[in-house]
Amino acid sequence: MRNFSGIHKLFLLLCLMVFSTMVSVLPVFADDFGPSEWSQYRLNPENNPVYHSEFDSILKDIINTGDEIRSTPVVIGNNVFIGNHNSGDIYSYNLINKKMNWQTKAPNWIHSEIIYVNNQLFVGFGNRFYQKDGTRGTGKSGLMSLDPQSGEILWTFKTKGEVMPTPAYYDGTVYITTGDKHLYAVDPKSGTEKWKLKIGHVVSMSSPNIKDGILYVGGGLPYPYSFFGIDLTTKQILWETEFNNVYAGLDDVPPVIFENLVITTALERTDKILSVREVYERKGIIQAYKQMIKLAIGDLINKPPLSLPNHVMYAMDIKSGEVIWKESLGIGPMVSNNKSGAPIVYEGKIFVGSPINETFYSYDAKKGKKLWAYKSNVNKVPPVADKGVVYFTDTKGLVYAFNVENGELLGKKYLGGKLSPSGPVLMNDHLIVGSQNSNVYVLPTNDIIGENDSSPEHPNVNDKTTESIYLFIFLVYIVPIIALIIFLGVTIFAIKKLRK
């Protein structure tokens, strides 16, 4: 009996060890840190990813990855799922024991969030470069499904154009919008196409928002940029709203839903033409030469000169697509990539940042009335709000906390890198945000409140250059004149030689 008792104890010990190992990688158990499902961009139609449970521990961590993070980290249970920009690496990291569960790789960029439904992960991949036929995305593009416990790739659904927007799961189907101007419905178990719909416009990063069986998404090229409401039951476009003056942003911004409104932002053209000097400072010498040509003969060649964009927010009726209200966030200089801020809704208010006007805003969602504004650095991501506080991030590595009612600054903390375009999430009073310095930051919100950090000086590709007026005059005016004189001299010399 003694021998049996010893074997029995050994067996129980082995079972306990196996169980402990399984628990460390399983995504969900009681009082977990994060939710048990993440079915679309930023968790819900309000694009405000907040979760509360009985979890009562304090977490502080900096998770190092191998490359830039440009998609929002997704938290399921006690694990966070992270995608890398250039390398396509995908990570599962346990937030409690601070250990990497697994790492795998996608064939191209990861800008899509890694959503989780029914014990499966889904993530899109692709890049922003254009093919000759106007398809956005070169190299391999598509949708992958992974096993959340092991990271094993279960299947890959290939597309012609990029899948940089986050997929959306609804009623047993995964939906993706793409750079090849289609909406695809994919079977989550087999990874096969159920059906597809040609929408005729490139979707850059406008992650679809689904509510009550209607999918909402913004489309870009060809002109005019258009916004769509698509009925997933009839598999048809319910309505399409054209924006004739929009030339950027609509296809980048994931829309947000509030009651009977779907809200998004975009950039409209203005008649405020950029001077050659302004173009030179912001875009360089080649674009300055092009601006000179456009100013001279732009009307003849149908190439209008560059102008300052107007950052505009629209609220459309979810049933008809009719624009209910429209508000300008301001006119300012163009920025590279992610040109139009993404909104969220919290307690009847819209919170949105403008990279064009370098300002954080609060608006009344029903009427579009501005409530408050705060001047900032360039910012490109949706904020997150909870318990009367909204948290914004910027490209200088700062996270800000504001009172949602009056815009009072409650705290400002430096984290690091460009907190863009990966938006923050709030899980049990912890802020989690990815950075282009390859880190994911995890910290209690109390660490932000009351702080007043500033960002260390570091280069930013969006900042204006400070070239001297003399260099500008030499490159933009004197060099072309010298080149013209040389060209005329060579031409005259050649003509004389031919006449002899």
Side-chain angles (χ1 to χ4, degrees):
M1 291 293 291
R2 288 179 182 175
N3 186 42
F4 176 78
S5 177
I7 293 172
H8 183 66
K9 288 180 179 178
L10 180 61
F11 176 75
L12 289 176
L13 181 61
L14 288 171
C15 289
L16 182 61
M17 290 173 64
V18 170
F19 178 75
S20 299
T21 302
M22 290 177 64
V23 165
S24 70
V25 297
L26 283 174
V28 181
F29 56 86
D31 297 333
D32 275 345
F33 181 66
S36 60
E37 185 176 274
W38 197 296
S39 62
Q40 67 177 47
Y41 176 79
R42 293 180 67 78
L43 193 59
N44 50 54
E46 295 78 33
N47 293 352
N48 188 34
V50 175
Y51 178 77
H52 292 286
S53 69
E54 297 301 315
F55 185 92
D56 59 0
S57 298
I58 295 176
L59 304 180
K60 291 186 181 182
D61 203 358
I62 299 176
I63 306 167
N64 303 116
T65 71
D67 192 30
E68 295 180 13
I69 298 160
R70 297 197 181 187
S71 63
T72 299
V74 167
V75 180
I76 298 295
N78 293 324
N79 298 322
V80 59
F81 297 97
I82 307 161
N84 278 163
H85 165 57
N86 288 295
S87 67
D89 287 311
I90 300 172
Y91 307 84
S92 170
Y93 181 87
N94 190 295
L95 291 160
I96 308 304
N97 61 30
K98 298 185 178 182
K99 290 183 179 179
M100 198 68 73
N101 297 322
W102 50 258
Q103 179 179 349
T104 190
K105 196 176 187 67
N108 211 329
W109 295 2
I110 297 291
H111 277 235
S112 152
E113 288 176 17
I114 306 166
I115 66 170
Y116 175 99
V117 182
N118 295 335
N119 202 32
Q120 270 183 270
L121 299 174
F122 305 93
V123 61
F125 58 91
N127 63 41
R128 63 171 175 258
F129 306 117
Y130 278 85
Q131 301 177 33
K132 291 181 179 179
D133 65 357
T135 299
R136 190 175 190 263
T138 58
K140 295 182 179 180
S141 299
L143 173 72
M144 292 170 54
S145 177
L146 300 94
D147 181 286
Q149 278 78 46
S150 66
E152 176 191 358
I153 298 172
L154 302 177
W155 51 256
T156 300
F157 178 80
K158 297 179 181 178
T159 57
K160 184 181 178 182
E162 46 77 15
V163 186
M164 293 175 70
T166 298
Y169 181 96
Y170 180 79
D171 195 23
T173 303
V174 181
Y175 295 93
I176 52 173
T177 50
T178 70
D180 59 36
K181 306 174 186 177
H182 283 83
L183 166 69
Y184 293 89
V186 181
D187 183 273
K189 294 301 180 185
S190 64
T192 57
E193 180 184 305
K194 286 187 172 183
W195 56 271
K196 67 180 178 182
L197 176 66
K198 184 176 182 180
I199 61 175
H201 291 263
V202 166
V203 180
S204 301
M205 287 186 63
S206 181
S207 299
N209 196 333
I210 300 176
K211 185 176 181 182
D212 300 330
I214 308 298
L215 181 147
Y216 303 94
V217 68
L221 294 172
Y223 294 111
Y225 280 35
S226 296
F227 194 93
F228 299 89
I230 300 172
D231 190 318
L232 300 179
T233 301
T234 64
K235 306 172 186 176
Q236 298 294 324
I237 295 173
L238 180 65
W239 52 260
E240 177 182 352
T241 300
E242 295 182 348
F243 292 87
N244 294 315
N245 203 33
V246 167
Y247 72 108
L250 193 72
D251 57 328
D252 274 334
V253 175
V256 63
I257 295 172
F258 171 71
E259 295 181 354
N260 66 329
L261 299 175
V262 56
I263 300 159
T264 190
T265 72
L267 303 185
E268 291 188 357
R269 299 186 189 277
T270 70
D271 57 2
K272 295 189 176 181
I273 304 299
L274 282 166
S275 69
V276 175
R277 174 89 188 271
E278 289 172 314
V279 174
Y280 168 73
E281 290 178 340
R282 291 170 181 151
K283 294 179 174 293
I285 187 63
I286 301 300
Q287 292 300 322
Y289 289 148
K290 290 182 178 180
Q291 184 75 343
M292 291 174 68
I293 294 169
K294 291 174 181 178
L295 286 168
I297 59 171
D299 291 339
L300 298 175
I301 61 175
N302 197 27
K303 295 284 185 181
L306 296 175
S307 60
L308 287 173
N310 182 18
H311 192 187
V312 180
M313 183 161 55
Y314 313 89
M316 292 163 280
D317 183 273
I318 60 173
K319 293 182 179 180
S320 66
E322 176 190 359
V323 176
I324 303 302
W325 57 257
K326 168 183 173 181
E327 290 295 323
S328 171
L329 302 179
I331 296 172
M334 180 66 82
V335 296
S336 60
N337 306 327
N338 310 104
K339 300 172 177 63
S340 189
I344 71 160
V345 171
Y346 172 72
E347 294 186 346
K349 300 176 181 65
I350 299 168
F351 297 97
V352 63
S354 173
I356 299 300
N357 209 31
E358 299 183 7
T359 303
F360 303 131
Y361 294 99
S362 172
Y363 278 79
D364 178 88
K366 283 187 177 180
K367 299 178 181 178
K369 179 183 177 182
K370 184 166 70 175
L371 302 175
W372 55 262
Y374 183 93
K375 196 70 177 174
S376 69
N377 300 309
V378 171
N379 62 87
K380 300 184 175 185
V381 304
V384 64
D386 187 35
K387 296 183 178 180
V389 181
V390 60
Y391 300 86
F392 284 89
T393 59
D394 68 18
T395 60
K396 296 287 190 180
L398 291 164
V399 55
Y400 306 72
F402 298 96
N403 181 305
V404 298
E405 295 299 327
N406 57 23
E408 176 191 0
L409 180 63
L410 303 176
K412 182 174 63 168
K413 186 173 181 64
Y414 177 74
L415 298 181
K418 295 179 185 176
L419 304 177
S420 165
S422 171
V425 304
L426 285 178
M427 303 282 127
N428 283 296
D429 301 314
H430 289 74
L431 185 134
I432 302 100
V433 62
S435 172
Q436 288 188 45
N437 68 3
S438 305
N439 293 331
V440 172
Y441 296 94
V442 182
L443 68 159
T445 53
N446 285 339
D447 284 8
I448 303 168
I449 307 299
E451 295 295 313
N452 190 28
D453 292 350
S454 58
S455 176
E457 290 295 324
H458 62 84
N460 187 323
V461 296
N462 296 317
D463 289 341
K464 297 178 183 179
T465 61
T466 55
E467 307 279 356
S468 73
I469 183 63
Y470 303 108
L471 184 59
F472 164 72
I473 292 172
F474 176 76
L475 291 175
V476 175
Y477 295 109
I478 296 177
V479 167
I481 291 171
I482 293 173
L484 179 61
I485 292 171
I486 293 172
F487 173 76
L488 291 174
V490 170
T491 303
I492 293 169
F493 177 78
I495 292 171
K496 287 181 177 179
K497 289 289 267 183
L498 287 172
R499 285 180 177 177
K500 288 182 179 179

